[in-house]
Amino acid sequence: MAARKRLYEPGEYVALFNGLVGIVVSPEALNKAYKVLKEGNKPGRYFVPGCCQHPDYIIQIPVIFEDGTFDIMRAMNLRRMPDPPEDKRKKVDLLLKKHGL
């Protein structure tokens, strides 16, 4: 059985064009985030009227951001950050730990 290709994998750090850092999360963590975090409605999010969001990790990427929000983002609006600044990484990690994501 062939593995499904993904553009982004859960656990990767990403950034928006405005410098906001986030982490790509698994579908399970996204389900928990819907319950405990606020949706950010950031520029570049995936939004199609009348369609539900199903992250495929190719076009629709679920991300939790350092400001305590989450969004399903379009892949073209993200860039990989293999080594984000330590303070931003700590904010994201603390947020994940605090909410059990």
Side-chain angles (χ1 to χ4, degrees):
M1 184 174 207
R4 206 168 166 188
K5 288 191 175 192
R6 293 179 170 184
L7 191 56
Y8 291 93
E9 292 293 330
E12 281 187 79
Y13 285 92
V14 294
L16 292 177
F17 60 89
N18 62 4
L20 194 62
V21 174
I23 191 167
V24 177
V25 294
S26 67
E28 297 81 23
L30 179 64
N31 287 337
K32 288 181 184 178
Y34 272 113
K35 297 174 186 170
V36 296
L37 299 176
K38 184 179 174 188
E39 194 165 357
N41 296 325
K42 303 213 177 350
R45 70 187 170 102
Y46 183 82
F47 176 77
V48 179
C51 179
C52 49
Q53 298 170 338
H54 298 287
D56 58 6
Y57 295 89
I58 297 171
I59 297 171
Q60 303 172 24
I61 315 297
V63 180
I64 293 179
F65 292 100
E66 64 180 292
D67 65 356
T69 62
F70 73 94
D71 272 310
I72 308 285
M73 301 298 295
R74 291 183 185 174
M76 64 187 203
N77 295 313
L78 296 173
R79 62 182 167 91
R80 283 184 176 79
M81 279 199 95
D83 194 26
E86 190 63 32
D87 60 329
K88 293 186 181 243
R89 181 188 295 252
K90 282 183 181 179
K91 280 183 187 177
V92 173
D93 292 342
L94 183 63
L95 181 68
L96 293 176
K97 197 177 288 186
K98 177 181 176 185
H99 294 291
L101 305 170

